[in-house]
Amino acid sequence: MFIAKVEGNVWATRKHDTLAGYKLLLVRAVDPRAGAAVGPAQLALDTGVGAGPGDTVLVLDEGGSARVMTGDARMPVRTVVCGVVDSVSFNGEVIKYA
């Protein structure tokens, strides 16, 4: 899992039938202490948390666990947004995102 910033929405008019009704997001991992982007942007499926551009989110990046989150073993997904991060506490410092 990692913390990321939602950079945008992705629309696909044709996609696997198991993805119907799910929102696709473009996310980029961030260093939670500095807030700086680390790594490339990735496509992630919103599992119903209602995240959108600008939100800081918790991302699960492992296919088997991602499919458990959706409840559909046939779904072609590896990366899912499974939470919206309000704050992070590190060495006594609290960083708020919400």
Side-chain angles (χ1 to χ4, degrees), residues 21-25 44-52 79-82:
Y22 284 95
K23 185 167 33 172
L24 300 172
L25 300 171
L45 189 77
D46 185 328
T47 57
V49 300
T79 307
V80 296
V81 172
C82 55

Side-chain angles (χ1 to χ4, degrees), residues 15-22 45 70 72 74-77:
K15 56 190 171 189
H16 194 274
D17 62 339
T18 59
L19 297 173
Y22 284 95
L45 189 77
T70 65
D72 189 338
R74 301 176 308 125
M75 185 175 278
V77 64

